[in-house]
Amino acid sequence: MLADAHSLAQQFADGTTDPVAALENALLRAERVPEAFITLCEERALREAAAAKARWQAGQPLSPFDGVPVAWKDLYDLAGCVTTAGAKVRLHDQPASRDCSLATMLSRAGMVNIGKTNLSELAYSGLGLNPHFGTPANISFVGEVRAPGGSSSGSAIAVAQGCAPIGMSTDTAGSIRVPAAFNGLVGYRSSAKRYSFEGVTPLASSLDSLGPITHSVRDAIVVDNLLLGDQNGMPLDTSGLPAAGLKLCVDIDLLDDSRIQPEVRANLLAALDRLAAAGAVVERKKVRAFEQALDVIEQIGWLGSAEAFAYYQALLDSADAEQLDPRVRKRLEAARAFPASKQVRLYQAAEALKAQIARELDGAFLVTPTVGHVAPLLAPLEEDANLFVATNLATLRLTMPGSMLDMPGIALPSGTGEAGLPTSLLLSSVSGNDKELLRAGLAIEPYVRGVN
């Protein structure tokens, strides 16, 4: 595992390296994966790194992550940069006049803004392909190239390749959790209302959420604190919740689905066994609200498709629609005739199931696979439109219910599966319970990774 932000900041503190040297190394690494970035902010980043270096030398860092590089999915505004949303059609838009709210917060904490990362066009795919700016590939894995996961593909690859230990991302149906899972990283989807959306391009406003892709849960906790305005950046209890007595809930029927690869299932169950041995309370039962959410999405539809169409209808009705990725355009157009009555039914179902899952979990944390399979081969997805559609739906299947129910979630690396590729476990909680979820994630992380 590459060094997380905590480890890098410790090197700043002990003088092993400094923010300028760390940034120069990050920029060199970015050259190895050019498709990961749409825009590099080298001049700004060098200026910020130099200021951070001076603060560390004076013993006055602004926060625990002063001088740490952060990459931004190109839905977040950075002053002076065009926010493309991964679309060629937006390349000539006016640059943002100011940073988004979240970038303002992390800049105040001294973090170094390295650039804007690539994504599925308009953030509308769980696989991460982009024909305009190239598809980022994780070059760490041997063999044929695999899909990076989306839509936050560039953020995940930037973190995986050491360009930045923090990749700020967005998640509407799984766009933080899926690329984290495919690349052996930690991905934290916050509750939808936890952070400000000022200066962030939306996709589906009732489902969109924000959060980081990182190497560790402890990094996600500090980022969360900084984004909530705590410049000290550290939680009161850095040890997390104790594993002993932690209530975990797993739906065994869900795991028996043939769409979940054997290694994904086995790695999850092995992690639960290790946690149970450490004193965690693991309850195996049907979680009907989660299963019903899966059924609603499959039988009635995905609310995000209606909201995404509404947001992009003017683009779809213009001549510029010809410039869109045909796969993205087709998915957006599929919701043109989405009935208002169906949309209302989905809103009502979501509200009812949010209340139901809170009752069913009764204070426990839900454990599911993040994705039922490891990262699929990239080339067949590029060549076969029907395979792309089927694989995209399969990839997002287990993260969509959490989005529908606004469940904050943390994707954690759980081992390896087919071809030695990463598998992932998803720890989720009820809407608004982010602080406790992060503390629980910190507690279970070593057991999930198998390093306790």
Side-chain angles (χ1 to χ4, degrees):
M1 184 177 82
L2 287 165
D4 66 359
H6 269 82
S7 299
L8 182 59
Q10 183 58 48
Q11 293 177 47
F12 297 162
D14 64 24
T16 306
T17 189
D18 62 67
V20 173
L23 174 62
E24 290 171 346
N25 178 59
L27 292 171
L28 285 173
R29 287 177 176 272
E31 292 178 2
R32 300 170 58 202
V33 283
E35 296 86 359
F37 288 89
I38 291 176
T39 305
L40 282 169
C41 308
E42 293 185 52
E43 183 177 339
R44 172 178 176 166
L46 286 165
R47 184 174 67 251
E48 292 172 338
K53 177 180 178 179
R55 290 191 294 268
W56 278 106
Q57 289 175 335
Q60 297 179 326
L62 293 174
S63 77
F65 284 179
D66 196 350
V68 171
V70 55
W72 297 90
K73 183 178 183 177
D74 201 9
L75 294 175
Y76 291 90
D77 287 350
L78 289 183
C81 297
V82 173
T83 301
T84 70
K88 181 176 66 175
V89 70
R90 297 187 60 172
L91 270 173
H92 301 294
D93 286 2
Q94 286 294 313
S97 59
R98 59 182 180 179
D99 287 350
C100 64
S101 178
L102 270 59
T104 299
M105 297 296 289
L106 294 191
S107 295
R108 287 175 182 167
M111 295 189 71
V112 174
N113 299 279
I114 188 173
K116 310 280 289 290
T117 55
N118 199 355
L119 62 150
S120 308
E121 186 177 44
L122 306 181
Y124 207 36
S125 156
L127 297 172
L129 281 64
N130 190 305
H132 310 303
F133 301 101
T135 297
N138 195 328
I139 58 178
S140 298
F141 305 121
V142 297
E144 296 181 76
V145 176
R146 302 280 174 151
S151 63
S152 308
S153 54
S155 292
I157 298 304
V159 173
Q161 294 303 315
C163 308
I166 308 293
M168 289 304 300
S169 307
T170 68
D171 189 311
T172 303
S175 290
I176 289 172
R177 294 161 289 169
V178 168
F182 281 178
N183 294 284
L185 301 169
V186 171
Y188 163 50
R189 176 214 186 266
S190 66
S191 296
K193 295 181 180 179
R194 190 161 182 82
Y195 307 132
S196 170
F197 278 80
E198 181 184 354
V200 183
T201 300
L203 177 63
S205 58
S206 76
L207 300 166
D208 291 344
S209 63
L210 310 176
I213 293 175
T214 68
H215 288 292
S216 64
V217 177
R218 65 180 186 173
D219 280 3
I221 289 175
V222 171
V223 170
D224 177 65
N225 277 263
L226 295 175
L227 292 177
L228 294 177
D230 178 5
Q231 292 302 95
N232 290 326
M234 299 300 290
L236 294 176
D237 181 1
T238 57
S239 63
L241 297 173
L246 193 65
K247 293 174 61 179
L248 304 173
C249 180
V250 60
D251 189 326
I252 294 298
D253 289 348
L254 182 74
L255 289 182
D256 287 339
D257 192 298
S258 62
R259 287 169 286 191
I260 296 175
Q261 291 179 344
E263 298 94 336
V264 173
R265 182 181 190 276
N267 290 345
L268 183 148
L269 291 174
L272 290 177
D273 287 344
R274 290 190 290 269
L275 282 158
V281 179
V282 180
E283 185 176 11
R284 292 164 167 83
K285 68 174 185 179
K286 290 182 71 69
V287 183
R288 297 185 184 279
F290 193 88
E291 294 183 359
Q292 288 172 25
L294 283 168
D295 290 341
V296 166
I297 293 165
E298 184 176 336
Q299 296 171 15
I300 301 178
W302 177 238
L303 184 58
S305 61
E307 294 185 355
F309 173 80
Y311 185 76
Y312 283 111
Q313 183 174 359
L315 172 58
L316 293 167
D317 290 342
S318 73
D320 288 337
E322 295 294 329
Q323 298 183 54
L324 294 174
D325 178 351
R327 293 166 295 212
V328 170
R329 184 181 181 186
K330 183 177 180 180
R331 288 188 67 215
L332 286 167
E333 284 287 358
R336 185 177 285 273
F338 203 99
S341 58
K342 182 185 290 189
Q343 193 167 346
V344 171
R345 285 172 62 198
L346 289 171
Y347 286 129
Q348 293 171 337
E351 286 305 308
L353 290 172
K354 283 179 192 177
Q356 181 180 331
I357 200 161
R359 292 192 300 270
E360 288 189 68
L361 291 178
D362 190 26
F365 297 94
L366 180 65
V367 175
T368 63
T370 308
V371 188
H373 54 262
V374 299
L377 292 168
L378 177 60
L381 298 172
E382 293 176 323
E383 296 162 2
D384 186 334
N386 291 328
L387 178 64
F388 174 90
V389 171
T391 306
N392 187 58
L393 286 173
T395 297
L396 295 170
R397 178 175 174 270
L398 295 177
T399 51
M400 291 169 82
S403 294
M404 179 182 177
L405 306 183
D406 191 29
M407 302 181 73
I410 304 174
L412 294 165
S414 62
T416 56
E418 174 195 330
L421 295 167
T423 62
S424 180
L425 176 153
L426 180 61
L427 184 74
S428 303
S429 188
V430 296
S431 180
N433 198 38
D434 297 64
K435 182 178 179 180
E436 291 300 290
L437 172 73
L438 286 163
R439 294 183 69 206
L442 190 63
I444 76 166
E445 183 177 18
Y447 299 93
V448 176
R449 291 183 185 268
V451 296
N452 56 296

